[in-house]
Amino acid sequence: MKVYNTLTKKKEEFIPLEEGKVSMYVCGPTVYNLIHIGNARPMIVFDTVRRYLEYRGYEVNYVSNFTDVDDKIIKKSVEEGIPAEEVAKRYIAECKKDMAAMNVKPATTHPLATQEIPGMLDMISTLIAKGYAYAAEDGTVYYRTRNFKGYGKLSGKNIDDLQAGHRDIQVTGELKEDPLDFVLWKPKKEGEPYWESPWCKGRPGWHIECSVMAKKYLGDEIDIHAGGEDLIFPHHENEIAQSEAANGTPFARYWLHNAFLNIDNKKMSKSLGNFFTVRDISEKYDLQVLRFFMLSAHYRSPLNFSADLMDAARNGLERILTAAENLRRLSEASAVAGQTGGDSVNGGAPRPGMTDEEQSLFTQTDAYVEKFEASMEDDFNTADAVAAVFELVKFCNTHASADGSKAYLDALSERLTLLCDVLGIITEQEEEILDAEIEHLIAERQAARKEKNFARADEIRDQLAAMGIILKDTREGVTWKRA
Ligand code: AMP
Ligand code: ZN
């Protein structure tokens, strides 16, 4: 499997640190508003990367944070006259709903920055002890950028060019040794959330959060670190500087970055005001369509959002879902008619119940699976993988009929569903959307219990009970079944 690594600027063979396992960290959103569809792009593409790795048999430890303390969250809390914590909580819950509707699997862990402050204090202390950081007079702690020899290796920036760029923009009042130094810990301002620290009452800088959460949940060295390409510099460059200096090991082996979702060829962003929230889109389209639209392009290519392209995605998705539905209908009819076919022993992998002719037809579909896999093996080329699915759909539409045996029709149906699953496309709508929703609610309940918010945990249990879901707390975790 080849992946394009931003660090080496090449496609490389993917070799995980530990055989059969992949550790993966994806920078998550800052939660001060509903997410827009630009934010949804990394969620969808890296969820698809995860699904493909799982399809290949890897056990994936997938960590994606929520940045729940930040200037924008504080601004919103002041505007609304409620605590910053409440703003963050509200938008985390909304974000999880959007993720479920886009069939993005919940991460193995969704850490919150505000719950990881002790780890941040530890890493900052280590950096100070090793000479990579210093506390200024006012209690701000800065990273001593020039001390990290590899600075610039991810973004390809040269530290002296950066220095030249900074010369004119010395911000008055800052107590940095060098304009390139960045903040690890900053003093609180009046009315802001804060934590005690050896340097001042304050809060963490954004970059240290991800270094610490990746370390805690995945270890000092991880396989994949991912996010949108706007994060390459300075966020990921600074994460590398922090993690490698503190841990003394290389940080992430493969750095994956998605290109932007654009509108009129400009990056969709909150600050430009040219955005649609996922919620806006859900009023017009099933969010499966949004997912399918995102996967119609390679993740490293810019993607322009337009109603025409969304309509094309809707039609394409419809074609796949219709074929899947058709196979199911034919299979049911075949079961009723008792067409079980003959017992074939011909061909590579005979399926009991298929006729020889069906066996040979089914073997032809291996080519589409091979094409699908080859596309995904080539740096997760979902655009070509989708094309392979369309070829399989065309085959099914041509070669499946009411005369087919149940075994043959089911085999085609399973194949189509298997490939769609990797893309996160749900072929059997209602049941599975519900599954994702249930799992999100269970994860939310676990988080509430961890925070000792038992009222919320009970509320979720009741909500699930009303949906006919029975929870069982076991030592291995929570299991669920339908009543
Ligand atoms: P933010 O909340 O701005 O930190 O963004 C969360 C994630 O969304 C990051 O991985 C960003 O790189 C990504 N992102 C934000 N805007 C876009 C966009 N227009 N296209 C693609 N990814 C984006
Ligand atoms: Zn991050």
Side-chain angles (χ1 to χ4, degrees):
M1 183 164 60
K2 294 257 192 288
V3 300
Y4 181 86
N5 189 350
T6 311
L7 187 62
T8 55
K9 290 157 196 65
K10 298 199 281 275
K11 273 191 203 170
E12 291 174 21
E13 188 59 32
F14 178 72
I15 305 165
L17 286 158
E18 200 181 326
E19 211 184 310
K21 294 192 173 172
V22 177
S23 52
M24 184 163 177
Y25 187 94
V26 182
C27 291
T30 306
V31 279
Y32 64 101
N33 214 328
L34 292 174
I35 57 163
H36 63 68
I37 56 175
N39 301 132
R41 191 170 189 195
M43 288 177 184
I44 292 169
V45 300
F46 297 120
D47 176 65
T48 308
V49 167
R50 171 197 190 166
R51 285 168 181 270
Y52 185 67
L53 292 168
E54 288 175 345
Y55 169 84
R56 283 277 314 264
Y58 289 108
E59 188 187 312
V60 182
N61 189 351
Y62 190 98
V63 176
S64 189
N65 67 299
F66 287 111
T67 295
D68 62 342
V69 57
D70 164 271
D71 289 343
K72 295 178 199 125
I73 300 175
I74 295 170
K75 184 165 169 259
K76 183 105 176 183
S77 85
V78 172
E79 281 165 14
E80 295 197 11
I82 55 171
E85 201 188 333
E86 253 176 64
V87 173
K89 238 185 210 160
R90 183 200 304 158
Y91 291 111
I92 288 170
E94 297 300 339
C95 178
K96 285 185 174 173
K97 280 188 212 156
D98 287 340
M99 285 166 71
M102 297 186 295
N103 202 25
V104 170
K105 287 191 186 193
T108 316
T109 313
H110 277 292
L112 306 182
T114 55
Q115 305 302 308
E116 307 294 342
I117 304 291
M120 297 180 206
L121 299 181
D122 274 356
M123 192 179 277
I124 296 172
S125 300
T126 304
L127 289 169
I128 293 177
K130 288 187 165 184
Y132 284 103
Y134 57 94
E137 243 169 64
D138 65 350
T140 308
V141 183
Y142 292 103
Y143 187 93
R144 199 172 265 133
T145 304
R146 274 193 180 272
N147 274 19
F148 184 68
K149 293 295 163 251
Y151 198 80
K153 65 182 172 183
L154 181 71
S155 55
K157 291 188 192 292
N158 173 302
I159 203 155
D160 293 314
D161 296 344
L162 285 170
Q163 179 82 69
H166 270 276
R167 206 162 289 149
D168 307 330
I169 48 166
Q170 268 279 23
V171 180
T172 48
E174 283 193 339
L175 302 162
K176 295 180 186 185
E177 289 175 359
D178 185 311
L180 290 180
D181 296 350
F182 59 89
V183 171
L184 299 174
W185 186 264
K186 55 183 154 196
K188 76 173 184 88
K189 293 196 196 107
E190 192 53 39
E192 288 185 354
Y194 69 90
W195 290 263
E196 298 290 341
S197 84
W199 316 289
C200 63
K201 290 183 174 39
R203 60 187 167 101
W206 171 37
H207 316 303
I208 196 76
E209 297 175 4
C210 288
S211 280
V212 167
M213 292 187 265
K215 179 182 171 78
K216 175 162 170 191
Y217 294 99
L218 298 170
D220 290 355
E221 195 174 359
I222 69 174
D223 291 310
I224 297 177
H225 197 314
E229 67 181 7
D230 52 337
L231 301 188
I232 297 173
F233 188 86
H235 185 52
H236 288 163
E237 195 71 64
N238 291 355
E239 276 191 49
I240 292 177
Q242 297 163 155
S243 296
E244 298 196 352
N247 303 333
T249 51
F251 182 29
R253 288 158 68 95
Y254 303 94
W255 287 86
L256 272 56
H257 292 99
N258 64 273
F260 291 143
L261 178 77
N262 292 331
I263 194 155
D264 298 328
N265 298 312
K266 275 198 214 79
K267 180 193 173 193
M268 182 175 287
S269 76
K270 294 246 168 74
S271 51
L272 290 176
N274 59 350
F275 64 90
F276 291 110
T277 64
V278 169
R279 220 45 79 76
D280 292 335
I281 297 303
S282 75
E283 283 169 17
K284 229 181 138 198
Y285 301 91
D286 185 321
L287 290 178
Q288 287 283 297
V289 175
L290 181 66
R291 182 169 185 120
F292 194 65
F293 160 74
M294 296 281 185
L295 298 179
S296 66
H298 188 275
Y299 75 93
R300 283 190 293 113
S301 305
L303 176 59
N304 214 32
F305 180 83
S306 74
D308 283 353
L309 289 176
M310 282 293 283
D311 290 343
R314 175 157 58 193
N315 295 340
L317 179 64
E318 201 54 50
R319 203 139 52 90
I320 296 172
L321 299 184
T322 306
E325 174 58 29
N326 196 32
L327 287 171
R328 275 195 300 274
R329 237 176 358 89
L330 290 174
S331 162
E332 276 163 26
S334 173
V336 172
Q339 279 150 356
T340 51
D343 276 330
S344 165
V345 285
N346 298 333
R351 297 246 182 169
M354 284 193 207
T355 64
D356 287 354
E357 194 197 343
E358 285 174 343
Q359 181 63 58
S360 132
L361 277 171
F362 184 65
T363 306
Q364 285 180 36
T365 67
D366 290 352
Y368 309 126
V369 178
E370 280 158 22
K371 181 173 171 188
F372 180 93
E373 289 177 356
S375 309
M376 293 301 280
E377 296 280 310
D378 182 16
D379 191 30
F380 311 105
N381 191 336
T382 54
D384 285 358
V386 165
V389 172
F390 277 131
E391 287 178 37
L392 176 59
V393 161
K394 190 169 169 208
F395 180 94
C396 293
N397 290 344
T398 316
H399 297 287
S401 72
D403 302 333
S405 71
K406 181 163 166 34
Y408 171 66
L409 295 165
D410 286 348
L412 287 177
S413 174
E414 270 168 37
R415 219 160 226 194
L416 183 57
T417 302
L418 185 69
L419 301 190
C420 286
D421 269 355
V422 175
L423 299 175
I425 299 301
I426 299 167
T427 52
E428 263 178 299
Q429 286 291 12
E430 282 165 31
E431 285 264 296
E432 289 195 37
I433 282 192
L434 213 54
D435 280 7
E437 257 175 38
I438 291 163
E439 272 151 32
H440 270 280
L441 281 167
I442 293 175
E444 206 185 323
R445 176 170 169 264
Q446 292 294 83
R449 281 165 38 137
K450 215 165 145 192
E451 291 169 17
K452 306 216 178 326
N453 185 351
F454 297 112
R456 176 71 188 133
D458 288 347
E459 196 179 289
I460 296 172
R461 177 182 276 269
D462 294 346
Q463 186 181 346
L464 285 164
M467 290 159 77
I469 304 303
I470 299 171
L471 298 182
K472 196 163 163 218
D473 293 307
T474 69
R475 268 213 300 219
E476 285 71 42
V478 179
T479 59
W480 62 273
K481 60 175 188 187
R482 292 194 160 80

